[in-house]
Amino acid sequence: MFISPMLLQTAPVPFSNSDYIYEPKIDGHRLIYSQQAGQVRLYTRHDNDCTRQYPELQLPFADDVILDGEVACVDPATGVSDFEAVMSRFQARRQGKIQQLTGTLPAYYAIFDILQYKGNDLTGLPLLRRKEILAGLSLPSGSFGVVPYVDGAGEALFEQIETRGMEGVVGKRKNSLYEVGRRSHAWQKVINWTYADVYITGYRKQEFGWLAAVPGPSDKLRPAGVIEFGVSPVHKQAFRGVAGQLVTGEDKEFVHLAPKLRAKVRMRNWTKSGMLRSPVFTEFIV
């Protein structure tokens, strides 16, 4: 049985409030764990069954339960979640590959909510009561854990998250009910953004996107991804006013520009291959 998860709003800055608890944001992908009549199924937030991708999470609890959390692969050296690693697990399809990755990139299920227990719907209970019930569960193995939280001290926790290079913090109102399938201000995320200065070296011909590049070896520019988000109509108009004078060529997908325009972007982090992860335009650099 799948339950559509409650979603987060984005808070612009870290905040502290005695009506909230604060959890570290785990850098993985959302996972609904559903055990019905002893059978375990795992679902993404979009109701895609991903049970076979995570053999180590197919273990049953003592009683039927539906849990909400994040599946992650944790770097043993730093204790920080590795998003690219968990994406490798999620995208694996061949059984042999899945078994191999279970050994080399073990998955960890970080649980932060309980939605159903012993056949009873818990979504109408206040968050802290659900947390109490969750804390009472006996976990099936070391591949499962409950996300810790602090009371009221969101800014202090965010400082620790920044220091460790983790993804961010989630603030949740203590008395919040679980709003199935809805995005709610009762749950707010604060992302620990990384910032970078890039050159805009082209644009997509069809849907919107600016090619980004950064200096590589010997200061020669190398591709770093595509900026798709955060660009206002005013910025798009300003770009169009200049881009026509900078065209150096084109291919099937992109028009290429001389690297004269620079921009600041915010992103989750750099990928291992040196690309911007989820870049968002912030401003032009003049």
Side-chain angles (χ1 to χ4, degrees):
M1 177 180 173
F2 170 73
I3 294 179
S4 184
M6 182 170 171
L7 302 176
L8 307 167
Q9 294 283 5
T10 301
V13 293
F15 66 99
S16 297
N17 189 315
S18 61
D19 292 332
Y20 282 73
I21 60 167
Y22 296 88
E23 303 167 342
K25 191 173 189 308
I26 310 299
D27 196 5
H29 76 76
R30 198 75 172 266
L31 191 78
I32 299 294
Y33 172 106
S34 178
Q35 179 183 322
Q36 304 290 302
Q39 183 182 27
V40 174
R41 309 303 299 177
L42 310 174
Y43 302 95
T44 71
R45 59 175 276 196
H46 297 297
D47 195 14
N48 295 313
D49 190 315
C50 58
T51 310
R52 64 188 297 269
Q53 274 95 324
Y54 304 108
E56 65 270 59
L57 303 182
Q58 296 172 21
L59 302 175
F61 285 75
D63 297 285
D64 283 357
V65 68
I66 299 180
L67 302 167
D68 188 4
E70 199 90 358
V71 62
C73 292
V74 179
D75 185 331
T78 62
V80 175
S81 303
D82 183 338
F83 182 75
E84 290 179 74
V86 81
M87 284 297 99
S88 296
R89 290 295 309 270
F90 177 69
Q91 292 162 2
R93 292 295 179 264
R94 290 186 298 105
Q95 196 59 40
K97 182 67 170 178
I98 290 170
Q99 290 298 333
Q100 175 201 337
L101 290 175
T102 301
T104 57
L105 297 174
Y108 177 78
Y109 187 40
I111 308 163
F112 49 70
D113 216 325
I114 181 168
L115 314 184
Q116 217 180 79
Y117 187 45
K118 297 182 180 180
N120 297 312
D121 179 8
L122 307 183
T123 58
L125 296 178
L127 173 64
L128 287 189
R129 177 62 187 132
R130 301 198 306 273
K131 292 282 192 185
E132 287 176 11
I133 297 170
L134 177 58
L137 293 188
S138 179
L139 303 179
S141 79
S143 297
F144 295 74
V146 175
V147 176
Y149 63 86
V150 298
D151 193 331
E155 290 156 302
L157 179 61
F158 190 83
E159 285 181 15
Q160 295 179 36
I161 294 296
E162 276 188 309
T163 300
R164 295 190 60 189
M166 297 175 68
E167 191 189 12
V169 165
V170 178
K172 298 179 178 178
R173 191 176 288 277
K174 294 176 183 178
N175 63 358
S176 59
L177 311 183
Y178 194 93
E179 300 181 48
V180 174
R182 289 191 57 204
R183 193 172 296 280
S184 172
H185 281 289
W187 288 15
Q188 298 190 50
K189 61 185 174 183
V190 185
I191 301 299
N192 178 22
W193 296 106
T194 297
Y195 290 84
D197 296 344
V198 304
Y199 290 86
I200 299 174
T201 58
Y203 60 89
R204 278 200 191 116
K205 292 181 175 180
Q206 302 300 324
E207 71 271 23
F208 177 78
W210 291 342
L211 283 175
V214 294
S218 305
D219 284 337
K220 184 178 179 181
L221 292 181
R222 62 166 183 81
V226 180
I227 302 168
E228 298 176 311
F229 303 107
V231 184
S232 71
V234 171
H235 288 122
K236 289 179 181 179
Q237 185 176 2
F239 174 82
R240 285 193 295 267
V242 175
Q245 307 162 41
L246 302 176
V247 174
T248 59
E250 61 181 274
D251 55 33
K252 186 176 180 181
E253 189 177 358
F254 292 98
V255 174
H256 298 279
L257 306 176
K260 302 295 185 183
L261 290 172
R262 298 180 67 212
K264 182 181 289 292
V265 297
R266 68 183 189 197
M267 57 181 169
R268 295 298 179 100
N269 49 38
W270 293 96
T271 70
K272 291 186 177 69
S273 59
M275 304 297 279
L276 306 161
R277 180 180 160 206
S278 305
V280 178
F281 174 84
T282 301
E283 63 185 356
F284 287 117
I285 299 172
V286 294

